[in-house]
Amino acid sequence: MKSSTKIMYSMTAFLVIMAVIYILATTYVQDDGYRHGTEWAGVVGLVLASALTLMLGGYLHFTERRIDILPEDWEEAEVADKAGTLGFFSPNSIWPAAMSGAILVLGLGIIYLHWWMIALGAVLLIYTTTKLSLQYGQPKEKH
């Protein structure tokens, strides 16, 4: 088993233990002599979090068996072994800022429940996301 799988299974075990303690604590602890019973919102949250980490651990367990050893699992690995290609980041692109503005318009429309602003924000977000994705795939303008 590799490190990512161990982490997820450890988190699952921790969350299961915490869920049991939470169930016992909310069921049997009395406040001012009155017994309230189990608090189900926390129980459901902890059980679902446990199930999520178990599913992620299972997925990682099955996929890590098919790949070579990763740098984080190799004891003689250096930091540079994991780095790889970081990709290309455009230093002069206006579209991330424009996307932030579109998200602002969309968020304000949702907050104040103005349908026209929600529609405008959604259209602006789709437009700016498309322009960001295609900014280097479009032909250059000739001056």
Side-chain angles (χ1 to χ4, degrees):
M1 221 177 344
K2 298 192 180 179
S3 60
S4 301
T5 306
K6 289 178 184 176
I7 290 171
M8 282 298 141
Y9 285 151
S10 299
M11 288 174 62
T12 301
F14 173 76
L15 287 170
V16 167
I17 291 168
M18 288 297 111
V20 170
I21 291 171
Y22 189 82
I23 291 168
L24 293 174
T26 58
T27 303
Y28 296 112
V29 172
Q30 296 178 0
D31 185 24
D32 297 333
Y34 179 72
R35 191 166 158 185
H36 295 288
T38 306
E39 197 275 314
W40 288 105
V43 172
V44 170
L46 284 168
V47 168
L48 290 177
S50 302
L52 176 66
T53 55
L54 181 64
M55 286 188 297
L56 286 172
Y59 170 76
L60 291 172
H61 183 78
F62 289 127
T63 55
E64 285 179 345
R65 287 189 303 170
R66 296 183 184 100
I67 59 175
D68 287 335
I69 190 165
L70 298 172
E72 57 262 23
D73 296 322
W74 181 35
E75 295 199 13
E76 289 84 28
E78 297 290 329
V79 174
D81 293 336
K82 179 67 177 176
T85 304
L86 295 176
F88 173 74
F89 302 99
S90 178
N92 299 322
S93 178
I94 191 66
W95 296 113
M99 285 176 64
S100 300
I103 291 171
L104 173 69
V105 172
L106 181 63
L108 288 174
I110 292 170
I111 289 171
Y112 295 115
L113 203 59
H114 293 306
W115 296 106
W116 64 271
M117 193 179 283
I118 294 172
L120 177 65
V123 168
L124 286 174
L125 185 60
I126 291 169
Y127 177 74
T128 55
T129 304
T130 303
K131 293 299 274 186
L132 175 70
S133 299
L134 298 177
Q135 72 181 348
Y136 290 106
Q138 296 173 340
K140 301 270 187 208
E141 293 182 17
K142 294 182 181 179
H143 295 289

